[in-house]
Amino acid sequence: MPLPSRSSQPVLVDPASIAFKNVLDKLAPTDATVLIVGETGTGKEVVARYLHHHSLRNDQPFLAVNCGALSESLAEAELFGHEKGAFTGALNRHQGWFEAAEGGTLLLDEIGELSLSLQVKLLRVLQEREITRVGSRTPVPINVRVIAATHVDLADAIKERRFREDLYYRLNVAAVTLPPLRQRPQDIPALAQHFLSLYANRLGRPHLTLAENTLEALADYHWPGNVRELENTLHNAVLLTQESQIPPHRLKLIAPKSDSVTNNHVTNNNITDDNAADDDALALFIRSQLEKETPRLFQKITDALIQHAFSMNNNNQQQTAAMLGISRNTLRTHLANLGLIKSRKKELLMSGSHTASEGAMTERELRIGYQKFGNLGMLKARQSLEKRFEQQGVTVLWSEFPAGPQLLHALQNNEIDFGATGEVPPILAQAQNSSLIYVAYEPPSPHSVAMVVAQDSPIYHCSDLRGKRIAVNRGSNVHYLLLQILDEHGLTLDDVRVNYTPLRYPLTPSDFHAVDAWMMWDPLLSDAQLSGDMRIIEDGHGKVLNQQFYLSRRDFAQRSADLLKIVLDELKQTGIFIATHPENAAQLLSQELGLPQASLALALSRRQHEPRAINRTVMRDQQTIADRFYALGLLPKAINIREAVWDEGLA
């Protein structure tokens, strides 16, 4: 729910929004714990940021952690930190979310997903205002304002013994309920115009307007996905519209389907279009179906929910899982049962004893993990791999990841078969006994990574970093760049305050000053650079190579070497396309990623894109980084890079 905190934000005029903002303005200057309740997509994190931005803590960190995304085994260490040696893989003392947010605000999103054991520990933290790291008995005082958010009814969770009543009352010092978009219809025109301008500017498109019947269509729609769905709808419309005015058919709103809950009515029941916007519509529908003793009601409702969410997010599994508040593995199980993706359990591979000549070609699946930028992102946009595999019975499934460490975790856990990361993540993974193998690499691109600060920051040289807060994605290429920058200027990790947090984008003014410096990579780096919001202190030139590696698992490479060779060939052709048609490449990626074409053109110009076979020089470069990390105590054991190189990928 965007709020009018800055001139760039829309001014909301609906009475419900005005009343809600008045409540927030009273709460913001205080240190009171706030519980934000609202449907998915209403903007609970935006509200939390508004509270922080208008508080006395606005020059201190604002951090947000999704409690539903914390793994059960590591959740306590993530929240409260851990000592060196606290558990296997704990190579150094780690600062948890609470310590990282010291002096500022910590948003505990989807608080209802915390385990009962963690709820007990969180209650003590809120009461005593101190944390105890895993592996330690010494409490550490904290000064953090806590804001919690949830889309579920915690009162029901208490009744079902899934949420502690004492924690609920501790969090519920000040509770605010975000009204869904359907209850604030007067805000829709302002929000729509805001998103139109936002994405037109980002994508370098001319100013667009909405036709009168388009505005009517927006007003009549039920918006089950709330403001997030409205934003995605307008973003998509900007991408697809060539005219100066957006017609109604450019709005990809969920179309009604038989025997499922639709956007503005429910089929086969007596709920009409007029009262579908009522909050009780869903409850009335469920009650009516229960009274009718509808067979398989739970399954029907669950299936409809999964289908609509998957469609709304353009078949992106990660975004769908986030919208529904479930894990990606759980989502994949539902999608497989619905036949929307192939089940891993039922995956059929081509038997080595069968050949195409024998007519025994069976259906196969190639699962590719990719990040927002690079050859794989371009390969996905061009769809050339799908065309090449079409006649071979091979299905390509794409999964997007925010960074290399997350992608390699999925690779190790057999969620994907192939992907690309920078040079550091595979080193850390190999040291943790991952079965990954290096398949190919791309040449160095040191200018694609950098340390950046806000434009108005007083930091101009790395010598100014002592005692400063630096945000970095743990185990990424920019993590290594940070080590190199500090070493070059006679500093260590103990001389700065490192916040290990995934890079968020786009960054808000609150983000600019939440830490003193950000470690950033392309294309987010190039976009921040061209926007003028941030300045580069130092990039990777002369400090890191920043090579990109294509990776797979040893078991997959052994049985599917033919698929890997085809993928590498298509990546080679994609690299040639980028080099010979840079403008077209930037335009394609702009449509795929929603970033300005100029930013992507700059990012593409800083890299060489054709994959190459692994050679001795590349292995030596990787070994140098691995040895450095081991010497610093960042690896549990020494590793031999050559042992993880695909023999068929050697030069």
Side-chain angles (χ1 to χ4, degrees), residues 347-395:
E347 181 182 348
L348 296 174
L349 298 170
M350 187 190 304
S351 170
S353 61
H354 294 122
T355 65
S357 63
E358 295 172 332
M361 181 79 74
T362 57
E363 194 168 14
R364 305 169 72 185
E365 185 177 271
L366 175 63
R367 300 165 299 170
I368 300 177
Y370 73 104
Q371 299 179 53
K372 280 186 172 296
F373 181 65
N375 257 20
L376 284 175
M378 180 63 69
L379 183 62
K380 179 179 181 293
R382 296 182 73 201
Q383 295 289 293
S384 61
L385 187 63
E386 286 84 350
K387 294 176 183 176
R388 186 159 175 180
F389 278 143
E390 189 175 0
Q391 302 302 319
Q392 301 184 35
V394 179
T395 301

Side-chain angles (χ1 to χ4, degrees), residues 190-379:
L191 288 168
Q193 192 54 57
H194 167 71
F195 291 133
L196 279 182
S197 300
L198 175 68
Y199 287 106
N201 291 335
R202 284 189 187 176
L203 299 171
R205 305 289 177 84
H207 180 73
L208 299 175
T209 60
L210 296 169
E212 186 174 344
N213 53 348
T214 306
L215 274 171
E216 292 175 356
L218 292 175
D220 292 340
Y221 187 60
H222 188 49
W223 297 111
N226 291 291
V227 179
R228 183 185 295 145
E229 184 183 3
L230 176 63
E231 179 179 2
N232 292 340
T233 298
L234 273 300
H235 184 183
N236 188 72
V238 172
L239 286 171
L240 297 179
T241 302
Q242 302 298 321
E243 310 94 323
S244 60
Q245 195 172 67
I246 298 177
H249 70 270
R250 291 296 185 194
L251 304 177
K252 288 193 172 183
L253 304 177
I254 300 175
K257 294 183 179 180
S258 59
D259 65 13
S260 63
V261 181
T262 66
N263 56 336
N264 59 1
H265 70 279
V266 179
T267 60
N268 301 324
N269 69 79
N270 53 11
I271 298 177
T272 66
D273 292 347
D274 294 332
N275 62 15
D278 191 275
D279 276 344
D280 295 330
L282 181 58
L284 290 172
F285 165 67
I286 294 174
R287 192 176 296 116
S288 70
Q289 299 303 307
L290 288 170
E291 291 172 352
K292 295 177 184 178
E293 298 183 359
T294 303
R296 299 177 64 252
L297 179 60
F298 178 83
Q299 194 63 51
K300 286 183 178 180
I301 292 177
T302 304
D303 290 350
L305 179 65
I306 296 292
Q307 286 175 320
H308 286 313
F310 196 45
S311 173
M312 186 185 302
N313 288 283
N314 297 317
N315 298 350
N316 185 295
Q317 295 178 26
Q318 189 172 4
Q319 292 177 9
T320 304
M323 172 182 284
L324 297 174
I326 60 178
S327 71
R328 187 167 168 268
N329 284 338
T330 301
L331 175 66
R332 283 184 61 85
T333 300
H334 285 291
L335 294 175
N337 291 337
L338 290 168
L340 298 177
I341 65 171
K342 291 183 172 57
S343 171
R344 276 180 282 171
K345 293 182 180 180
K346 299 178 179 179
E347 181 182 348
L348 296 174
L349 298 170
M350 187 190 304
S351 170
S353 61
H354 294 122
T355 65
S357 63
E358 295 172 332
M361 181 79 74
T362 57
E363 194 168 14
R364 305 169 72 185
E365 185 177 271
L366 175 63
R367 300 165 299 170
I368 300 177
Y370 73 104
Q371 299 179 53
K372 280 186 172 296
F373 181 65
N375 257 20
L376 284 175
M378 180 63 69
L379 183 62

